[in-house]
């Protein structure tokens, strides 16, 4: 249907990402809206079910001059991963051995890139996110463990990985649960003194990292800020409030937040 | 005392009532995750045979969590109406199913205060989907604040104008869209991103202004923690309804930061404001299967039974609205469309049988094996079952909480197919301002311009 309201609804629709002013065909949606919704859902489903290409992700990370080690969780496939979150939080026995072997002297930070609920987010954003973060780590002089590339993994898998790699803190870059309009969103979770049994209240989270959300540069700045605070205060979680926004607002341009390379 | 049932050469043994009820539950991923689900299809049926023989009196006498260990158990037993129970006290679970299928609406209303959540859950487990629909349809629970919700032949809608940054103009745009579809009689209720009092104050004033300018016979709610709402009331902000998520055990409620005394305090504070013009049902609760397991507070009890226990908590505070958020929690609790549909019907049945005004957030996340077709199916079944209300979300896509529910269009669909009406006062208002005809059918064109008088700053 169209009518005198059309201009008004176009103007109102610009005020929110919500699906308003769609029009209707009787009680139903116009055909174009049914198809748009169906496409968005298809992309979100594909983001959940597309397997992560761990080799390609590792290759892109190694191009940044970082070494990698591939692991899998104790969830052997996607169906198990979705039904058994407890298994996605643990390393498979073989992967635990591989990390124990890869561990050398204690390090400051272990980075874990995990498929989570959106391999697409990792494929499209993980290497670029690490590229934006690396200058912060270099400037701070943090010693890094090999970057862990983890398949069928949940956030808490980083606790066991960080412990195996003898890291003071772990940062997990993970594909977030895809929304209908955000199939490509990464979440960053920081945990000080990682070890199995850490609760979500003991982590800090930076979410919605994607082209249409929080940029890689801003996310890298926040991640660097959180880690600096975590090392200085010896904790993460509810006791560490993310106040980096005040620094970001005070900065004249986003570029001025980046450390010299 | 263990329960036993023999099938041919095999005797199935169930160590206690909680185990028996868990094994009798239609299979779902949350009970499997908790390690309490039946190990085979035959074991499920053996448990149901056995459960059907259990007297209701025995369920009442054997609390699943000890009286001294859990304040929800104490609430269930302290509030129990022995006189109402007397009418069904002689029945087994199997008899009770047949009693419910033949009972009148008046009988069901009479026994409701005598039905404990464990009794409702037990009979639910041996009922097919059609039983759950047929009995729930006969249970009428009517509540009032500024309109009348739950009358036979009606279905109300919560208008849910969520926005990723709580932007007032964006929220208002979604409200106007929803009103233009005739949504919002249950409540105009937002999940804010921020739980700050400042955000809450802005949204409460925004909603209060829209309702006042258009003289809408409905109520508003900002869905934040009960302690924040208490704070808002103490500061004189215009609070219609008090919201809180609740669960079926004391420990799970503690994980939400809520206690029974806090709920009572908030109810009393809202009653003292006297903002309801037709009635004094001032509470709004949300629940969902799996919340206790998620909080590691399930005591080895199946998630459907724990969900029914949350309705006992709700019942004490005479809520205007209660809804299960049935598919929100994720596939580790309800895996696919089949499990979500079954759980939605179970929750609605148990709530109504206990006398609670149950609505359903017919919904799913993108990592569940479900889609909009499953939601159409569940919405249609709930419409047939006399569901109190559903959600109305622009295009079914919640851009703040990242899940899919039912849309403004979906409620038009179910009204057209099943002839369901809105709350009568709200329906009269829609006709009076010219959005619908006298029968409640939307009239074409011009709706937005009329509604814009509610938001003069957006009119330019």
């Amino acid at each position: 249907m169209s009518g005198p309201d059309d201009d008004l609804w176009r103007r109102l629709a610009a005020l929110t990402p919500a699906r308003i002013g769609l029009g209707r065909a009787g009680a139903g949606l116009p055909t174009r809206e049914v198809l748009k919704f169906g496409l968005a859902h298809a992309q979100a489903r594909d983001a959940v079910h597309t397997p992560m290409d761990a080799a390609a992700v590792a290759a892109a990370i190694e191009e940044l001059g970082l070494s990698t080690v591939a692991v899998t969780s104790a969830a052997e496939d996607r169906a198990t991963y979705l039904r058994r979150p407890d298994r996605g939080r643990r390393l498979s026995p073989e992967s635990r051995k591989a990390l124990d072997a890869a561990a050398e002297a204690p390090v400051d930070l272990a980075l874990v890139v995990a498929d989570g609920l959106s391999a697409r987010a990792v494929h499209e954003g993980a290497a670029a996110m690490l590229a934006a973060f690396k200058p912060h780590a270099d400037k701070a002089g943090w010693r890094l463990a090999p970057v862990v590339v983890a398949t069928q993994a949940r956030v808490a898998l980083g606790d066991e990985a960080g412990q195996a790699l003898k890291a003071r803190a772990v940062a997990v870059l993970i594909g977030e649960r895809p929304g209908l309009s955000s199939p490509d969103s990464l979440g960053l979770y920081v945990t000080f003194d990682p070890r199995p049994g850490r609760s979500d209240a003991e982590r800090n989270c930076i979410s919605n990292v994607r082209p249409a959300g929080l940029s890689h540069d801003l996310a890298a700045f926040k991640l660097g800020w959180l880690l600096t605070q975590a090392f200085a205060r010896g904790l993460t979680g509810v006791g560490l409030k993310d106040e980096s926004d005040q620094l970001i607002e005070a900065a004249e341009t986003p570029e001025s937040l980046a450390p010299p390379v | 005392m263990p329960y036993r049932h023999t099938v041919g050469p095999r005797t199935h043994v169930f160590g206690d009532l909680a185990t028996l009820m868990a094994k009798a539950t239609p299979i779902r991923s949350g009970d499997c995750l908790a390690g309490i689900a039946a190990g085979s299809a035959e074991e499920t049926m053996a448990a149901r045979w056995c459960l059907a023989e259990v007297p209701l009196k025995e369920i009442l006498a054997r609390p699943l969590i000890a009286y001294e260990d859990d304040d929800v158990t104490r609430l269930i037993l302290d509030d129990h109406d022995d006189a109402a129970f007397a009418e069904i006290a002689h029945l087994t679970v199997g008899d009770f199913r047949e009693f419910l299928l033949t009972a009148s609406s008046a009988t069901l209303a009479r026994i409701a205060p005598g039905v404990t959540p464990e009794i409702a859950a037990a009979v639910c487990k041996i009922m097919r989907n059609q039983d759950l629909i047929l009995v729930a349809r006969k249970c009428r629970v009517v509540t009032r604040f500024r309109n009348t919700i739950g009358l036979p032949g009606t279905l109300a809608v919560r208008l849910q104008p969520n926005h990723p940054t709580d932007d007032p103009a964006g929220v208002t745009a979604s409200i106007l869209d929803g009103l233009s579809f005739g949504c919002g009689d249950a409540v105009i209720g937002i999940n804010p991103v921020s739980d700050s009092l400042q955000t809450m104050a802005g949204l409460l004033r925004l909603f209060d202004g829209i309702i006042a300018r258009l003289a809408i016979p409905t109520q508003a709610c900002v869905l934040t923690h009960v302690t924040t709402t208490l704070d808002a009331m103490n500061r004189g902000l215009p609070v219609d309804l008090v919201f809180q998520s609740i669960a079926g055990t004391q420990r799970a409620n503690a994980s939400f930061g809520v206690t029974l005394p806090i709920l009572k305090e908030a109810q009393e504070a809202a009653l003292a404001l006297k903002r309801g013009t037709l009635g004094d049902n001032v509470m709004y609760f949300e629940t969902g299967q799996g919340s206790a397991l998620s909080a590691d507070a399930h005591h080895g009890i199946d998630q459907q039974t724990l969900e029914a226990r949350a309705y006992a908590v709700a019942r004490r505070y005479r809520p205007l609205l209660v809804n299960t958020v049935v598919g929100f929690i994720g596939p580790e609790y309800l895996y696919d469309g089949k499990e979500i549909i079954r759980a939605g019907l179970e929750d609605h049945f148990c709530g109504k049988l206990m006398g609670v005004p149950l609505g359903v957030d017919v919904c799913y996340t993108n990592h569940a094996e479900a889609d909009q077709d499953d939601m159409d199916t569940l919405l249609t079944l709930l419409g047939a079952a006399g569901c109190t209300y559903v959600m109305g979300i622009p295009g079914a896509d919640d851009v703040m909480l990242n899940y899919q529910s039912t849309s403004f269009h979906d409620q038009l669909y179910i009204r057209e197919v099943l002839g369901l009406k809105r709350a009568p006062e709200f329906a009269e208002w829609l006709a009076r301002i010219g959005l619908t005809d006298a029968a409640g059918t939307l009239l074409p064109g011009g709706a937005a311009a009329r509604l814009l008088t509610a938001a003069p700053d957006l009119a330019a």
Side-chain angles (χ1 to χ4, degrees), chain A residues 112-168:
Chain A
V112 177
V113 172
D115 51 0
L117 284 167
S118 174
R120 175 175 165 184
V122 171
H123 291 154
E124 296 179 5
M129 180 63 231
L130 287 176
F133 172 68
K134 191 165 176 288
H136 292 268
D138 290 345
K139 188 192 177 199
W142 292 324
R143 286 161 299 156
L144 304 182
V147 177
V148 177
V149 178
T151 301
Q152 309 294 10
R154 292 185 186 259
V155 171
L157 180 131
D159 296 340
E160 190 179 357
Q163 182 188 51
L165 294 169
K166 303 176 197 166
R168 293 168 69 207

Side-chain angles (χ1 to χ4, degrees), chain B residues 115-177:
Chain B
V115 177
T116 66
E118 289 81 1
I119 289 172
V123 74
C124 177
K125 294 177 193 305
I126 62 163
M127 291 170 79
R128 283 171 50 192
N129 285 5
Q130 66 164 256
D131 301 342
L132 300 176
I133 292 168
L134 187 146
V135 176
R137 184 183 176 82
K138 294 190 288 184
C139 299
R140 301 314 318 186
V141 181
V142 177
T143 58
R144 293 181 177 86
F145 190 76
R146 290 197 193 104
N147 56 23
T148 309
I149 291 169
L151 292 171
T154 67
L155 170 81
V157 174
R158 167 184 162 191
L159 203 175
Q160 183 168 315
N162 293 353
H163 187 280
T165 61
D166 299 328
D167 175 63
V171 170
T172 304
S174 286
I175 292 176
L176 296 182
D177 196 36

Side-chain angles (χ1 to χ4, degrees), chain A residues 63-88:
Chain A
E63 279 182 25
L64 304 173
L66 299 165
S67 63
T68 65
V69 53
V71 302
T72 58
S73 78
E76 59 268 26
D77 54 32
R78 206 58 171 167
T80 307
Y81 176 83
L82 291 172
R83 287 178 199 266
R84 294 292 303 268
D86 53 326
R87 292 196 190 171

Side-chain angles (χ1 to χ4, degrees), chain A residues 27-81:
Chain A
L29 286 164
T31 301
R32 69 168 189 284
E33 295 298 338
V34 174
L35 296 175
K36 275 168 74 175
F37 184 101
L39 176 61
H41 185 238
Q43 289 175 332
R45 296 286 294 157
D46 285 347
V48 171
H49 288 280
T50 301
M52 181 170 72
D53 185 344
V57 170
I61 293 170
E62 283 169 7
E63 279 182 25
L64 304 173
L66 299 165
S67 63
T68 65
V69 53
V71 302
T72 58
S73 78
E76 59 268 26
D77 54 32
R78 206 58 171 167
T80 307
Y81 176 83

Side-chain angles (χ1 to χ4, degrees), chain A residues 213-224:
Chain A
L214 186 67
S215 72
H216 292 136
D217 284 341
L218 278 180
F221 176 79
K222 281 173 165 286
L223 181 58

Side-chain angles (χ1 to χ4, degrees), chain B residues 13 24 46 81 109 134 174 184 193 210 227 231 242 273 286-287 327 390 423 458:
Chain B
V13 181
D81 185 331
L134 187 146
S174 286
V193 181
I210 290 173
T227 52
D231 208 0
V242 173
L273 298 178
E286 274 189 356
T287 64
V390 296
L458 294 188

Side-chain angles (χ1 to χ4, degrees), chain B residues 255-442:
Chain B
S255 80
F256 293 155
V258 61
T259 63
L260 302 181
I262 291 177
L263 293 178
K264 181 166 187 278
E265 183 186 348
Q267 183 195 20
E268 286 170 355
L271 284 171
L273 298 178
K274 297 187 187 304
R275 291 175 59 84
T277 49
L278 287 188
D280 63 355
N281 300 111
V282 295
M283 303 299 281
Y284 173 10
F285 295 116
E286 274 189 356
T287 64
Q289 289 191 26
S291 58
L293 175 58
S294 158
D296 197 22
H298 63 96
H299 298 265
I301 300 167
D302 70 88
Q303 66 185 35
Q304 188 257 319
T305 300
L306 291 172
E307 171 72 6
R309 285 170 58 98
Y311 305 151
V313 175
R315 179 164 64 176
R316 173 177 276 187
Y317 304 98
R318 300 190 301 110
L320 182 77
L321 306 163
V322 178
N323 67 261
T324 170
V325 191
V326 68
F328 185 73
I329 191 161
E332 61 267 44
Y333 301 94
L334 295 168
Y335 187 67
D336 57 15
K338 182 177 171 68
E339 292 184 7
I340 292 171
I341 288 166
R342 172 73 193 180
L345 294 175
E346 290 169 343
D347 293 352
H348 178 251
F349 162 80
C350 287
K352 287 291 176 65
L353 187 63
M354 293 170 61
V356 173
L358 218 91
V360 179
D361 191 342
V362 175
C363 66
Y364 64 104
T365 59
N366 286 318
H367 59 318
E369 294 295 321
D371 60 22
Q372 223 61 27
D373 289 335
D374 296 308
M375 300 305 107
D376 291 344
T377 302
L378 180 53
L379 175 64
T380 308
L381 298 177
L382 286 168
C387 184
T388 302
Y389 67 103
V390 296
M391 307 300 131
I393 296 174
D397 172 14
D398 190 309
V399 295
M400 198 288 273
L401 294 172
N402 280 338
Y403 77 119
Q404 284 91 252
S405 180
T406 47
S407 67
F408 302 151
H409 295 75
D410 291 335
Q411 56 90 36
L412 287 183
Y413 147 77
I414 199 70
R415 293 189 194 291
E416 182 168 336
V417 169
L418 297 179
L420 296 169
K421 304 296 185 191
R422 301 174 178 91
E425 301 83 0
F426 191 84
E428 282 163 26
W429 172 76
L430 287 171
R432 194 163 64 242
I433 65 166
L435 266 174
T436 67
D437 63 19
T441 305
L442 289 183

